Amino acid sequence: MGSVQIVTTILAAAITAVAVWLAVRAVSKMVAVIRLGQPDPTRSGDKISRTRTMLAETAGHTRMLRWSVVGAAHWFVMVGFVVLSLLVLEAYFEVVSPTGGLPLIGGWTLYGLVTEWIGILGVVGIGVLIAIRLANRPNRAGRRSRFTGSTMWQGYFVEAVVLAVLVMGFLIRGFKVATDHFEYPTWATPLSHAVGAALPGWESGVSVAALVKISISMVWVIVISLNVTMGVAWHRFLAFPNIFFKRRPGAAGSGLGALRPMMSDGKPLDFEEADPEKDQFGVAQVEQFTWKGLLDFSTCTECGRCQSQCPAWNTGKPLSPKLLVLSLRDHAYAKAPYLLAGGGKDLTGEEKATAAQLAHLDVLALAEAEKPLIGDAESGGVIDPDVLWSCTTCGACVEQCPVDIEHVDHIVDMRRYQVLIESSFPSEAGVMLRNLENKGNPWGAPQNTREDWTKGLDFEVPRVGEIEDFEYLFWVGCAGAFEDRAKKTTRAVATLLNEAGVSFAILGEGETCSGDPARRIGNEFVFQMLAQQNVETLNEAFEGREKAKRKIVATCPHCFNTLGNEYGQLGGEFEVVHHTQLLAHLVATGRLTPVQPVDGGVTYHDPCYLGRHNRVFTPPREVLGSAIQGELTEMPRNSERSFCCGAGGARMWMEERIGKRINVDRVEEAMSTGARTVAVGCPFCSTMLTDGVNGKGAGEQVEVIDVASVLLRSVKPEQVGGAEETTPVAG
């Protein structure tokens, strides 16, 4: 060992020791913070499915590759980071000796070939990512940049380190080539040989370059260890557990659909026995999120994919799912010293720590502890109320997040506390909640008018109890029973089912609201009241039937989602289909035959709770394809990336006062296709888009109607008027 090697070895050992010590300290802090969260015993089951999902999403990049160029570039960088870690390890042998290398596999030509090409493609990949970040700088693109609000220096730093480490790897190999110490042939390592041809035969160059490579790597470790909220770096470690512990690992797509139940101490809250002084009602403090929530916040990579797809952010609202998560993350870590010292408020608002426990704490941690989780700028709140109430729960953020952060669950948990304990929510939504409690529907319509939509049909609509058997229970829903536009859909579906010879029955006045708007706004009490009533009614209607024969067809995706995904939490197990799924089946089996093509061009708007939340994309398109007997005109944003109509998350009953109206944005996109018909599969979407079309003054040129009505016009063109019309469309 020469003098150069002695120096490089000592320096490499010193900087590595510092980096390892700081990394251990940082990991310990992160683990301690995450463990502050509430228990969640639902995250540990089905380990095989969890492992399979984690490997598919990490090694397979199944979510990242939805953004093809970025996803491919990121995959090569990720693989480079994992595999080329071996080359960092190899550098520790090279600082000791210019001829050093990894034991056992270091001399294999296959090892040299694989690492060479991973290095080459890694350089290309990181170059692409750097170019994308530079092209989308927030100071240039503003809100259109998904990096707006991200900590940009951290992104630049991480990408520069990755590039530098890759370059240094080729320099080390180049010096080995130049000094004739390189064991791999030219055909396997062409770039290394090309670099070596341009370098001098400096014997100590290998050790010096190896020291530089180790130093760059360890500086990276030191920097991220001193910045535990540096998600752009830490996500490469935290993504694996965060994906593994996702809520629904076996679910297709994002695992949206059902909301996480309202929990207290790791158990679903029972409102019959719940006590606000002993049980947690929603989330009022950051430590009241589950440990998985705190892991979510720590894992955020600040990539901004959620932000780029969010309908609120894209229409000038203050909500960015990314910025919300970052605010919660920063607050959690700033408050952590206070919490770890024993501080915190109990459910009555009393301080749990003694003065002695808090005496040594930094004043900044104590100040952070006093911040309300929800509050405006004047009160110093972590999350502004306008941010909380801008969410439509459309799920675009969860769908796009490459590390499976569960934004919607966290937002609704915060809403639950605001509604149930603080009684703080947009005032206009109060009318809707009172109507649900008193009338069983958000419009406040009399219950004895639930069956009025059946008047004028040329066939009898049977009620449960009036016939001995039926194949499907037709869940009409509040909109389908009371809202004028939705009544047309209800009548169209009933007409088509009758035409196809499907045996069905309705509950009539026995039906009440599914509870979706109450649950999404955060009023879990009203949701459970309505849901338990419906579960009891439905179980009675299906008495004696096994689950496979407890079939429900619903025209509202919100009812479809609630009945199918959430009623199981309350003892209601049913097979629920959306009407577009049933109609697609009836057309495919020849029980419904379109005879007259619908012309003028048709585009389709994917409802969030049908598409993203429940992965129903194909059946509506199959129905429309059969009706128009041609190609559907797709909007630029469709299927998984469909843009919300603005009505979800109980936003249907709240005023949209900030920024551009979401429905107008979507209508402009629909109109840009040139289609004269905008087909929908949701009564909320129908209302919002019709209002948007009318607002644009295009009511004479563009019509918004349900998929069922489009099909009916093709199957029974001579009877469309009688099936669709009941009352004039409300303006």
Side-chain angles (χ1 to χ4, degrees), residues 483-486 488 686 690-691 694 724-731:
E483 204 273 332
D484 292 333
R485 297 178 185 91
K488 295 181 180 181
S686 177
T690 299
D691 289 351
N694 292 338
E724 288 189 338
E725 297 295 339
T726 51
T727 56
V729 176

Side-chain angles (χ1 to χ4, degrees), residues 406-558:
E406 298 163 0
H407 313 73
V408 173
D409 284 338
H410 304 321
I411 288 171
V412 172
D413 268 341
M414 289 187 283
R415 285 183 172 187
R416 284 166 169 165
Y417 181 83
Q418 294 300 304
V419 172
L420 293 171
I421 303 299
E422 297 290 337
S423 296
S424 176
F425 51 89
S427 57
E428 60 270 20
V431 177
M432 177 268 291
L433 289 172
R434 286 192 295 274
N435 285 336
L436 287 177
E437 288 191 75
N438 299 327
K439 299 289 188 179
N441 68 85
W443 283 275
Q447 184 72 355
N448 60 11
T449 63
R450 268 196 181 269
E451 300 178 33
D452 284 1
W453 65 270
T454 63
K455 296 175 180 177
L457 292 174
D458 58 4
F459 59 91
E460 192 70 27
V461 177
R463 281 73 175 165
V464 171
E466 294 179 358
I467 56 175
E468 288 189 10
D469 196 18
F470 54 88
E471 185 178 4
Y472 286 95
L473 189 150
F474 182 11
W475 182 272
V476 176
C478 299
F482 302 121
E483 204 273 332
D484 292 333
R485 297 178 185 91
K487 285 183 185 180
K488 295 181 180 181
T489 301
T490 308
R491 292 167 65 85
V493 170
T495 301
L496 289 166
L497 295 182
N498 182 69
E499 176 72 13
V502 175
S503 172
F504 70 96
I506 63 172
L507 290 172
E509 294 183 27
E511 185 183 299
T512 192
C513 181
S514 68
D516 165 86
R519 183 166 240 199
R520 265 69 196 171
I521 202 173
N523 197 324
E524 185 75 3
F525 176 78
V526 171
F527 164 73
Q528 291 204 18
M529 177 186 72
L530 295 167
Q532 287 170 352
Q533 179 180 336
N534 281 325
V535 166
E536 184 178 339
T537 300
L538 290 168
N539 282 340
E540 184 178 336
F542 288 120
E543 189 174 1
R545 298 194 192 190
E546 59 190 59
K547 181 181 177 181
K549 293 183 179 180
R550 296 156 67 93
K551 297 180 181 179
I552 299 173
V553 57
T555 57
C556 175
H558 297 263

